[in-house]
Amino acid sequence: MSRIGVFVCHCGTNISATVDCPGVAETLSHVPGVVHSVDYKYMCSDPGQTMIKDAIKEHKLDGVVVSACSPHMHEPTFRRACAEAGLNPYLCEMANLREHCSWVHDKEEATTVKAIDLVRKMVEKVKKNQPLYSIKVPVTKTALVLGGGIAGIQAALDIANAGHKVVMVERDPSIGGHMSQLSETFPTLDCSQCILTPRMVEVAQHPNITLHTYSELESLEGFIGNFKVKIRKKARCVDEKLCTGCGLCSQKCPTKKNLSEFNEGLGYRPAIYSPFPQAVPNKPVIDKTQCTFFLKGKCKVCEKVCPTKAIRYDQEDQILDIDIGAIVLATGFKVLQPDFFPEYGYGKYKDVIQGLQFERLASASGPTSGEMKRPSDGKEPETVVFVACAGSRDEAKGLPYCSKICCMYTAKHAMLYKHKVHHGNAYVFYMDIRSGGKMYDEFVRRAIEEDGVKYIRGRVSTIYEEDGKLIVKGADTLLGHQTVEIKADMVVLASAAVANDGAEELAQKLHVSYDPYHFFAEAHPKLRPVETNTAGIFLAGACQAPRDIPETVSQASGAASKVAALFSQSELTREPIIAVVNRTAPPLHSTCTGCALCVPACPYQAIEMEDIKNRDGKVVKRAAKINPGLCQGCGTCVALCRVKAIDLQGFSNEQIFAELMAL
Amino acid sequence: MAEFEPKVIAFVCNWCTYTGADLTGTSRIKHASNVRIIRLPCTGRIDFMLLMKAFAKGADGIIVSGCHPNDCHYTSGNFHARRRWIVYRSLLNFMGVDIRRIIFSWVSAAEGAKWAEVVNTAVNEFRALGPYDEYKNLAPIRANWRTEHAG
């Protein structure tokens, strides 16, 4: 007969408000096999855990059911408590009374009945639980950082400085990300490149960091501590070892009229180019879609002028295989693009631009060398309208979230404009000003009070061109929804920050969750903000949600410290939730018929067929064998096995049927 | 007379729908209390014998839910579940099991509201279908069959 202990938690009033907790404990005490059943206000607290530990010893419990919150929340806590009391941790299960019962139902009898059912089924399951022992696996102490923006740079430097190897992979020809495009940064107005480029150089020169630019993640296999990644190093058509970065090829390239990605389409670049002067590495790439040689078969000017003969037209993509222990995802965001705002005329009128384009206009390294010239005719705009929340917080556009950074960068843009064009007029249309952060609100007040930027609370309905002016029509909700019309020379849209291109595909490659807007999902919104649900993969920066530079940097350092903590262990323990074939000695007794259906079903190639030989070395049987190091415990093979020779530890057929029978 | 309350058993995967249902709780989205969730690592783990057992134990309806296609924590478990379900569905239909009583759905970890919606819709549908007595009544017949043929 089992000796099960049931512990019902009130979770303050989170559970007890709708569930009769003492009633649940009392009812459960009558269930056969339950020898101890109590309720307590906070089971996860120190006295609560002590209660469990004492009960295990006093009542010689061989199974524990903690009826509290989700196992995703506190299963490790209670399993640890059981282990401390000498009970195998896998003999402890949780019934989810909070998330799945008390929080989603009203106070009525049915809620308590459901709670009793939920606890009862776990009691039946726990009766069938077997003691399990965690598996030890080695750790490859190399981290992969995906993305070379400020988030990736910070994470890579922190991990590398902790003494571990880092492989950084960046999709673009240079690291730096969006931060390298910015002119100045709020709230201090210090030059973005001045603070970023030293860090970029540090990454390139750090002995612990291997940098792969113009590269992408091809595939990922394995698990925490033991990932195997394939990196596609796209052909630069330039030998990186020979190239000195002199830039002669770019100067002489005849195909110069290609829109520059770095300048957000406001400037041009040659077909062989380095995105910007401070690029790291400062080695050009050939854009095969625009190079005359690749399009027409002749030209080869760059090859002729290159003093070190570094041009390689025949270079091919390389696939690199690398062993990795942990991954930091820092793939960033992108700014919402044109056709999203037909009413604002973005893409139709040259002088309607988005925030990043304004950054390039204001930047000393930009297409206008920092002079305020509007894109259409190069004139200095006398009146500029800034539209905040262009796309953000607009449910009709499918983006109900706040992009967070726009309030601050709009204030910065207006300020930068006023600093460059003293007599100009700057108007900002806004919904709310969200300027939470150190020195942030003061910064916005400075824009309004010292620089005289005119803030109008209301949204812009339409923008159209008339007599060479952009007519911005909006409402002023503080003046009783009065219509406002401004004749502007340039309009800057604070476009929403959205998930980067390919975020969904990347999430699927890595098996991390993502939210409806394709931002990567953290393991817990409050307590595990830098981890994903996939062990060993961490998040940094705006790939998780829109965020500004200080937040990105602190999150990147957080992710890096998680990686460093992981790498500080010589071996990792893994949950023993894996599939096993019933092939106890003698193996002939296994019910496995050797049909091998499970082999192709396994997503991890963890199953192989093994010949079972008799003493004479003659093969008498073939049976499946599961590699415990590779098995991740999904159980697909279990459901597939026709003779039920495979079972999943922790979620065995016996356990689940027992659960069902209790309902 | 009180309205008939169906007994609903949900088989969900640990990574998407279970976490999604946790989010329903965290967001305090109320839904029908008829559902009892059985947590499995992956929808690929769902042996369809479990579904038969659930009906035999008196379930009036079943929900099976996992990660969206392509989002499986284990790469392809949900594809196996989907393929298996397509085959199994026609088999059940052939056997005379009312397949309207099994609802297959995808709910991700971010779709707390969707989980509440899935549960409410399912419960309403099962309520309209009434108790699944046909299946429950099979149990005594089967028991008789055993005694008759054993002796």
Side-chain angles (χ1 to χ4, degrees):
Chain A
M1 194 64 183
S2 304
R3 300 186 61 82
I4 313 274
V6 174
F7 301 87
V8 184
C9 179
H10 292 218
C11 194
T13 56
N14 280 311
I15 296 174
S16 61
T18 52
V19 171
D20 172 15
C21 294
V24 173
E26 209 277 324
T27 314
L28 262 294
S29 67
H30 302 298
V31 172
V34 174
V35 293
H36 183 67
S37 180
V38 288
D39 61 298
Y40 183 67
K41 208 163 177 63
Y42 290 107
M43 225 67 219
C44 59
S45 67
D46 202 34
Q49 292 190 44
T50 312
M51 238 169 105
I52 298 175
K53 287 183 213 169
D54 292 346
I56 292 173
K57 288 174 195 148
E58 193 187 328
H59 299 280
K60 299 190 172 54
L61 300 180
D62 62 5
V64 166
V65 176
V66 184
S67 318
C69 46
S70 168
H72 286 290
M73 180 84 198
H74 269 318
E75 197 176 67
T77 315
F78 292 116
R79 286 195 164 166
R80 206 179 309 124
C82 287
E84 281 166 18
L87 183 72
N88 185 288
Y90 296 94
L91 298 177
C92 166
E93 292 280 353
M94 287 189 73
N96 191 342
L97 295 196
R98 197 178 72 177
E99 279 85 346
H100 288 187
C101 190
S102 73
W103 274 351
V104 287
H105 306 313
D106 295 320
K107 186 183 171 71
E108 55 190 11
E109 206 192 324
T111 307
T112 302
V113 170
K114 176 172 178 178
I116 293 169
D117 272 0
L118 293 182
V119 185
R120 248 201 71 108
K121 79 180 173 74
M122 290 328 279
V123 168
E124 295 308 322
K125 181 180 182 190
V126 114
K127 285 184 191 168
K128 306 287 180 191
N129 276 22
Q130 297 290 326
L132 302 175
Y133 301 93
S134 46
I135 303 165
K136 302 261 186 223
V137 285
V139 193
T140 308
K141 294 186 181 177
T142 304
L144 172 69
V145 175
L146 282 178
I150 181 61
I153 290 172
Q154 182 68 36
L157 287 176
D158 282 359
I159 299 168
N161 287 337
H164 305 296
K165 295 282 177 204
V166 177
V167 176
M168 182 188 265
V169 172
E170 164 61 47
R171 185 158 67 176
D172 289 337
S174 166
I175 58 171
H178 284 312
M179 188 173 167
S180 64
Q181 292 178 288
L182 307 183
S183 53
E184 267 91 26
T185 55
F186 60 78
T188 45
L189 288 189
D190 47 358
C191 147
S192 181
Q193 296 216 335
C194 313
I195 51 179
L196 178 68
T197 46
R199 299 232 161 167
M200 290 162 58
V201 174
E202 205 183 330
V203 166
Q205 293 176 344
H206 203 293
N208 280 345
I209 302 179
T210 316
L211 179 59
H212 297 292
T213 52
Y214 211 46
S215 304
E216 285 183 57
L217 179 82
E218 187 78 4
S219 68
L220 171 100
E221 279 172 28
F223 50 90
I224 181 168
N226 298 274
F227 294 111
K228 287 193 186 310
V229 296
K230 283 191 194 302
I231 305 291
R232 175 178 290 272
K233 213 169 161 56
K234 293 181 278 186
R236 284 183 110 89
C237 299
V238 170
D239 187 324
E240 282 186 79
K241 289 206 181 75
L242 291 179
C243 173
T244 56
C246 69
L248 212 55
C249 50
S250 301
Q251 282 172 29
K252 300 288 181 192
C253 177
T255 323
K256 287 213 166 53
K257 286 278 178 186
N258 310 301
L259 289 180
S260 155
E261 294 86 356
F262 183 74
N263 283 327
E264 292 289 325
L266 293 180
Y268 297 102
R269 61 155 174 80
I272 181 163
Y273 70 104
S274 233
F276 54 103
Q278 302 96 321
V280 171
N282 198 3
K283 313 273 161 113
V285 295
I286 294 184
D287 183 342
K288 287 186 184 175
T289 62
Q290 283 153 342
C291 169
T292 318
F293 172 72
F294 282 98
L295 294 177
K296 298 186 181 149
K298 52 186 178 186
C299 177
K300 295 201 174 183
V301 169
C302 44
E303 192 180 42
K304 278 173 212 130
V305 299
C306 179
T308 57
K309 302 289 165 232
I311 307 291
R312 298 279 179 276
Y313 296 111
D314 56 350
Q315 203 175 55
E316 282 177 7
D317 290 7
Q318 258 182 298
I319 303 287
L320 310 173
D321 288 284
I322 306 174
D323 287 340
I324 292 294
I327 299 173
V328 177
L329 270 176
T331 52
F333 69 105
K334 69 166 186 181
V335 168
L336 195 62
Q337 289 303 313
D339 46 349
F340 213 75
F341 315 106
E343 69 275 31
Y344 293 166
Y346 185 101
K348 189 171 161 195
Y349 309 124
K350 276 190 168 173
D351 293 328
V352 178
I353 58 174
Q354 39 93 341
L356 269 180
Q357 290 178 315
F358 186 87
E359 296 284 353
R360 296 314 302 148
L361 279 190
S363 168
S365 70
T368 59
S369 304
E371 282 178 51
M372 209 31 78
K373 290 177 184 169
R374 62 183 196 173
S376 64
D377 52 10
K379 279 188 193 147
E380 192 181 68
E382 305 272 318
T383 304
V384 179
V385 172
F386 296 88
V387 182
C389 292
S392 314
R393 300 177 66 198
D394 192 345
E395 204 136 7
K397 298 259 186 206
L399 292 180
Y401 63 84
C402 166
S403 290
K404 201 170 182 181
I405 49 178
C406 331
C407 283
M408 292 307 296
Y409 81 61
T410 298
K412 176 189 77 181
H413 286 174
M415 215 182 235
L416 289 178
Y417 167 72
K418 289 290 283 185
H419 291 179
K420 288 179 194 277
V421 185
H422 300 298
H423 61 282
N425 296 308
Y427 296 91
V428 175
F429 279 92
Y430 70 100
M431 282 207 250
D432 299 292
I433 301 175
R434 298 185 167 178
S435 51
K438 198 168 180 175
M439 300 295 288
Y440 281 17
D441 203 53
E442 295 93 316
F443 182 77
V444 176
R445 301 256 39 113
R446 209 172 105 201
I448 300 171
E449 286 159 14
E450 285 177 30
D451 293 311
V453 178
K454 297 181 189 77
Y455 270 66
I456 303 169
R457 188 175 190 278
R459 300 193 68 177
V460 173
S461 58
T462 179
I463 297 169
Y464 58 92
E465 208 170 38
E466 206 177 85
D467 304 332
K469 290 271 182 189
L470 290 164
I471 313 294
V472 182
K473 278 197 164 176
D476 190 334
T477 54
L478 295 181
L479 286 176
H481 294 273
Q482 199 175 310
T483 314
V484 186
E485 199 178 293
I486 296 167
K487 291 193 168 103
D489 300 309
M490 189 166 86
V491 176
V492 183
L493 305 176
S495 274
V498 294
N500 219 335
D501 292 325
E504 192 185 6
E505 293 78 33
L506 183 62
Q508 289 169 354
K509 265 182 208 164
L510 301 170
H511 312 304
V512 301
S513 324
Y514 49 91
D515 69 15
Y517 316 108
H518 297 178
F519 287 112
F520 302 137
E522 62 284 346
H524 189 281
K526 287 185 276 291
L527 298 177
R528 294 170 69 196
V530 303
E531 290 156 87
T532 65
N533 255 335
T534 304
I537 303 186
F538 304 94
L539 298 173
C543 60
Q544 186 204 2
R547 48 173 49 98
D548 59 22
I549 296 167
E551 272 187 332
T552 296
V553 170
S554 43
Q555 197 193 10
S557 287
S561 77
K562 287 277 175 193
V563 173
L566 182 72
F567 288 175
S568 68
Q569 303 164 60
S570 55
E571 52 183 13
L572 300 175
T573 48
R574 269 191 55 212
E575 290 250 309
I577 308 298
I578 55 165
V580 282
V581 183
N582 62 354
R583 39 180 296 143
T584 44
L588 265 179
H589 288 190
S590 169
T591 51
C592 175
T593 57
C595 71
L597 269 181
C598 50
V599 176
C602 179
Y604 302 99
Q605 288 87 46
I607 310 180
E608 53 188 34
M609 300 307 290
E610 192 189 31
D611 289 333
I612 293 169
K613 295 173 183 160
N614 65 7
R615 280 182 203 160
D616 307 331
K618 208 179 126 204
V619 177
V620 287
K621 189 184 165 111
R622 295 192 80 207
K625 187 182 178 188
I626 295 171
N627 180 338
L630 293 177
C631 175
Q632 298 295 300
C634 66
T636 302
C637 54
V638 181
L640 202 81
C641 181
R642 301 191 288 190
V643 287
K644 299 282 159 270
I646 312 183
D647 215 339
L648 184 61
Q649 295 188 142
F651 292 93
S652 69
N653 280 321
E654 218 187 356
Q655 286 170 298
I656 310 234
F657 277 110
E659 268 190 68
L660 264 178
M661 297 309 279
L663 293 174
Chain B
M1 201 185 98
E3 203 177 0
F4 159 67
E5 285 300 335
K7 180 160 151 184
V8 183
I9 297 181
F11 295 91
V12 307
C13 82
N14 182 34
W15 303 99
C16 289
T17 307
Y18 195 90
T19 319
D22 277 355
L23 182 64
T24 316
T26 320
S27 334
R28 315 290 203 276
I29 303 169
K30 304 273 182 215
H31 60 71
S33 61
N34 310 40
V35 65
R36 307 286 185 267
I37 290 180
I38 299 218
R39 176 165 78 123
L40 297 160
C42 177
T43 39
R45 168 70 182 86
I46 298 171
D47 184 333
F48 282 104
M49 280 309 289
L50 292 168
L51 273 58
M52 304 313 291
K53 200 71 186 175
F55 279 135
K57 273 301 287 179
D60 300 300
I62 290 174
I63 301 173
V64 175
S65 181
C67 306
H68 287 271
N70 281 330
D71 295 356
C72 180
H73 184 80
Y74 303 105
T75 319
S76 58
N78 57 355
F79 287 132
H80 283 281
R82 183 169 70 175
R83 231 175 288 165
R84 216 176 284 149
W85 168 236
I86 293 166
V87 177
Y88 190 68
R89 204 181 135 83
S90 46
L91 177 66
L92 282 183
N93 207 11
F94 170 76
M95 283 161 43
V97 173
D98 188 351
I99 51 171
R100 289 174 300 171
R101 291 182 184 271
I102 305 179
I103 287 180
F104 211 99
S105 166
W106 316 113
V107 175
S108 83
E111 295 174 330
K114 185 180 171 189
W115 173 247
E117 198 184 303
V118 166
V119 169
N120 284 334
T121 324
V123 168
N124 285 336
E125 280 174 26
F126 299 148
R127 195 178 283 136
L129 288 171
Y132 197 17
D133 289 331
E134 296 92 328
Y135 202 97
K136 282 173 219 163
N137 293 341
L138 285 176
I141 300 173
R142 202 179 47 193
N144 292 343
W145 186 88
R146 268 199 195 144
T147 42
E148 279 164 27
H149 288 76

